[in-house]
């Protein structure tokens, strides 16, 4: 069997052991060599990466996904070396490879931007392939490239890398990440198992094949699933406790909300009763204010009447004084008339006494007439004189009687006038007394009204203060009610948010439980499939080793024949 046939058979064997659905080929070059047998395979996606843009025309034309980039362990600036053989252009100086290829000459050096493979895929806008992906690295420093493929490596089921076939590390540290040992150290902990090293034309370098150890991977998945199941159970218990605490909190919030609603209802009722009491109080206050206004109007009317009565009393007192003065003058005049009357009566009495004495003398004269005839003429003359005097006295008496009658009439008239004046004075005094009593009554009423007004004003002030206090308390209750409603709203929103979060968490846990169940089932299936494939792999490996031994024997025989 020829070398090319053996290479094709190895690649076919690997494709049967780990069937690829996608392939990422780093250092693809011009697209030639036995590692490019995948070109004819039915793949979902093929991604080609190379540092030389001029080498990627075939990939862009055939597959579309071609990335011109230098990839490594991290994003950094590093020198890139070109050699006389373009296939050996890399981050390793050609001088470091001369112990393998003594004729390799350096051709140039330049600083380039090194990217991780994950960054290169992301920068190119190419999504990371799904499961069953081959990662082919046909260049040195493959361990660095694998380290930079942390996102891609978990979906790979085969890794093929160019390595140095040596038991010890090369002298140049840049080549330490290019050895089979370095690749084994980095891939075995990630679930891959070394299965074959295919030597190149120079046995010092070749291609190492690592296949994912499905049995170990299944055990790891089972372990992870178990750990996830424990974590899930712990999370479920934690969520159960959180749910119980949340339900308790919700119940407390609902109880607090109910208590708050009761307080709000009681506050509303109390506020409504206070508003009603305040309304009634204001109505009473308005009525009292109307009564006070009415009483004030009555007081003003009484005050006006009292002023008018006082004016009338002043006028009546002046008139009474005038009438008293007139009565005093009449009394004085009456006294004078009485004195004149007494004097006239005294004079009349004296005249009567004189007249009586004269009559007596006349009688004596008459008795002595006879005795005294001589004296008759004298007596006659005296008699005539006496008669004349008597007549004069009678005329004077008649005049005095007329004067007396006139004085009596005038006196009686004055007495009647005085009596009338006294009656009027008594009436005036009675009116003054009534007015005084009315005035006193009005004054008492006014005092009572003022007292009532003072008490009403005090009550009004108290009620105004009470109304202000009620208004202030009402405003405080409104503020408390608004604050309580706001707190209730926030509490309700928080409770709703927590309830939604709890429901979402529970739903997420249910989905995770369901997903875990499905993963466990898939894991069991994958474990069974992996065990089956492991057995097939062992059988194929046994056949492959037999064929390789056969190939080696054929090669040795051909060399012996040539020798």
């Amino acid at each position: 069997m020829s070398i090319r046939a053996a290479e094709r058979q190895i690649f076919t064997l690997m494709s049967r052991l780990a069937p690829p659905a996608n392939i990422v080929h780093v250092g693809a070059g011009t697209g030639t060599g036995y590692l490019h047998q995948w070109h004819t395979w039915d793949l979902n996606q093929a991604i080609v990466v190379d540092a030389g843009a001029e080498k990627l025309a075939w990939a862009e034309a055939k597959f579309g996904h071609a990335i011109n980039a230098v990839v490594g362990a991290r994003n950094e600036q590093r020198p890139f070396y070109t050699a006389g053989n373009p296939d050996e252009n890399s981050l390793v100086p050609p001088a470091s490879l001369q112990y393998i290829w003594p004729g390799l000459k350096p051709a140039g050096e330049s600083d380039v931007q090194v990217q991780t493979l994950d960054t290169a895929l992301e920068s190119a806008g190419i999504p990371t392939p799904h499961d069953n992906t081959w990662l082919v690295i046909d260049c040195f420093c493959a361990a660095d490239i694998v380290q930079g493929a942390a996102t891609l490596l978990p979906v790979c089921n085969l890794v093929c890398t160019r390595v140095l076939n040596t038991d010890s590390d090369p002298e140049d540290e840049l080549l330490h990440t290019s050895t089979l040992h370095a690749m084994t150290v980095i891939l075995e902990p990630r679930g891959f198992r070394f299965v074959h090293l295919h030597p190149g034309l120079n046995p010092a370098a070749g291609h190492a094949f690592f296949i994912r150890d499905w049995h170990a991977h299944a055990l790891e998945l089972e372990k992870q699933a178990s750990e996830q199941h424990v974590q899930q159970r712990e999370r479920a218990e934690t969520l159960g406790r959180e749910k119980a605490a949340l339900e308790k909190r919700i119940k407390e919030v609902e109880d607090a909300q109910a208590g708050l609603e009761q307080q709000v209802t009681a506050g509303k009722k109390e506020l409504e009763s206070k508003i009603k009491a305040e309304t009634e109080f204001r109505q009473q206050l308005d009525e009292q204010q109307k009564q006070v206004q009415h009483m004030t109007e009555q007081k003003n009317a009484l005050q006006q009447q009292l002023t008018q009565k006082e004016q009338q009393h002043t006028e009546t007192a002046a008139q009474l004084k005038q009438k008293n003065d007139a009565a005093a003058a009449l009394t004085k005049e009456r006294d004078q008339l009485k004195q004149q009357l007494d004097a006239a009566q005294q004079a009349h009495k004296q005249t009567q006494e004189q007249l009586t004495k004269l009559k007596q003398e006349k009688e004596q004269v008459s008795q002595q007439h006879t005795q005294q005839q001589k004296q008759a003429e004298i007596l006659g003359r005296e008699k005539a004189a006496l008669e004349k005097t008597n007549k004069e006295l009678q005329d004077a008496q008649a005049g005095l009687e007329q004067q007396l009658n006139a004085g009596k009439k005038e006196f009686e008239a004055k007495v009647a006038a005085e009596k009338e004046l006294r009656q009027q004075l008594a009436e005036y005094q009675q009116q003054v007394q009534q007015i005084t009593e009315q005035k006193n009554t009005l004054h008492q009423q006014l005092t009572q009204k003022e007292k009532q007004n003072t008490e009403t004003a005090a009550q009004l002030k108290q009620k105004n203060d009470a109304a202000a206090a009620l208004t202030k308390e009402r405003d405080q209750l409104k503020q408390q009610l608004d604050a309580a409603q706001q707190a209730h709203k926030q509490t309700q929103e928080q409770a709703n948010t927590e309830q939604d979060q709890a429901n979402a968490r529970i739903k997420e846990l249910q989905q995770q439980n369901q997903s875990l169940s499905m993963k466990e089932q898939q894991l069991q299936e994958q474990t069974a499939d992996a065990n089956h494939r492991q057995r097939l792999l062992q059988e194929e490996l046994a056949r492959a080793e037999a064929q390789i031994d056969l190939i080696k024997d054929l090669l040795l025989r051909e060399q012996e024949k040539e020798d």
Side-chain angles (χ1 to χ4, degrees), residues 516-549:
L516 282 175
S517 299
M518 294 176 64
K519 283 185 177 180
E520 286 180 352
Q521 184 177 359
Q522 291 176 358
L523 183 60
Q524 292 175 356
E525 294 176 355
Q526 289 177 359
T527 302
D529 185 48
N531 292 331
H532 178 67
R533 296 172 100 179
Q534 184 71 23
R535 289 193 298 271
L536 292 177
L537 178 61
Q538 291 175 353
E539 294 174 358
E540 291 289 344
L541 284 175
R543 288 195 293 269
E545 289 175 354
Q547 290 178 356
I548 289 170
D549 293 337

Side-chain angles (χ1 to χ4, degrees), residues 313 430-442:
H313 176 67
Q430 187 177 2
Q431 290 178 359
V432 170
Q433 185 177 1
Q434 291 177 355
I435 290 171
T436 303
E437 291 176 355
Q438 291 178 358
K439 179 181 176 182
N440 293 331
T441 303
L442 288 173

Side-chain angles (χ1 to χ4, degrees), residues 159-382:
V159 177
C160 174
T161 63
R162 190 180 188 190
V163 295
L164 296 174
N165 187 11
T166 177
D167 295 331
S168 61
D169 290 334
E171 295 181 0
D172 192 344
E173 293 182 356
L174 294 176
L175 291 174
H176 289 180
T177 58
S178 301
T179 64
L180 175 62
H181 174 70
M183 290 305 305
T184 304
V185 168
I186 196 171
L187 286 176
E188 281 188 351
R190 289 169 172 77
F192 289 87
R193 188 174 65 174
F194 170 68
V195 294
H196 179 61
L197 174 63
H198 183 70
L201 295 177
N202 190 327
H207 292 94
F209 291 87
F210 295 84
I211 295 179
R212 185 173 291 281
D213 190 349
W214 291 108
H215 181 68
H217 183 61
L219 292 176
E220 182 65 24
L221 288 177
E222 185 177 359
K223 181 180 178 181
Q224 292 178 359
S226 177
E227 291 176 353
Q228 289 180 357
H229 182 69
V230 172
Q231 293 176 357
Q232 192 70 27
R233 186 170 65 251
E234 291 176 352
R235 288 179 63 186
E237 292 175 355
T238 303
L239 286 176
R241 290 193 296 270
E242 291 178 355
K243 180 181 178 183
L246 183 60
E247 290 176 350
K248 182 179 179 181
R249 173 63 179 164
I250 291 172
K251 188 175 184 303
E252 291 176 354
V253 170
E254 290 176 350
D255 294 339
Q257 180 181 355
L260 187 60
E261 289 177 352
Q262 291 177 357
Q263 291 179 1
V264 170
T265 304
K268 284 183 178 179
K269 290 181 179 179
E270 185 177 358
L271 182 61
E272 289 173 355
S273 63
K274 287 187 177 181
I275 292 173
K276 184 177 179 182
E278 182 183 359
T279 305
E280 293 176 355
F281 172 74
R282 289 190 178 276
Q283 291 176 355
Q284 292 177 1
L285 187 61
D286 293 337
E287 291 177 357
Q288 289 183 359
Q289 287 177 349
K290 289 179 181 178
Q291 291 178 1
V292 170
Q293 185 178 1
H294 182 64
M295 290 170 65
T296 304
E297 292 175 355
Q298 289 180 349
K299 175 186 172 183
N300 294 332
L302 289 172
Q303 188 69 33
Q304 291 177 359
Q305 291 178 2
L306 182 60
T307 304
Q308 292 175 0
K309 291 294 183 181
E310 288 178 351
Q311 291 177 356
Q312 290 178 0
H313 176 67
T314 303
E315 293 174 356
T316 304
Q319 292 176 2
L320 184 59
K321 184 179 179 183
Q322 292 176 0
K323 290 185 178 181
N324 287 333
D325 293 340
L330 288 174
T331 303
K332 184 177 180 182
E333 188 176 358
R334 183 195 65 184
D335 294 337
Q336 291 175 356
L337 287 174
K338 279 184 178 182
Q339 291 176 1
Q340 290 177 3
L341 182 60
D342 291 339
Q345 286 177 352
Q346 187 68 27
H348 178 68
K349 184 178 180 181
Q350 291 175 359
T351 304
Q352 287 288 341
E353 290 176 355
Q354 289 176 3
L355 183 58
T356 304
K357 185 177 180 182
L358 287 173
K359 283 182 179 181
Q360 288 175 358
E361 289 179 353
K362 181 180 178 182
E363 288 178 356
Q364 289 176 0
V365 171
S366 294
Q367 290 175 0
Q368 293 175 359
H369 179 68
T370 59
Q371 299 174 358
Q372 298 175 351
Q373 286 182 352
K374 292 180 178 180
Q375 296 177 353
E377 293 179 1
I378 298 169
L379 288 173
R381 287 192 296 271
E382 289 178 359

Side-chain angles (χ1 to χ4, degrees), residues 378-392:
I378 298 169
L379 288 173
R381 287 192 296 271
E382 289 178 359
K383 182 181 178 182
L386 288 170
E387 289 178 355
K388 183 178 179 181
T389 302
N390 188 21
K391 185 177 179 183
E392 290 177 357

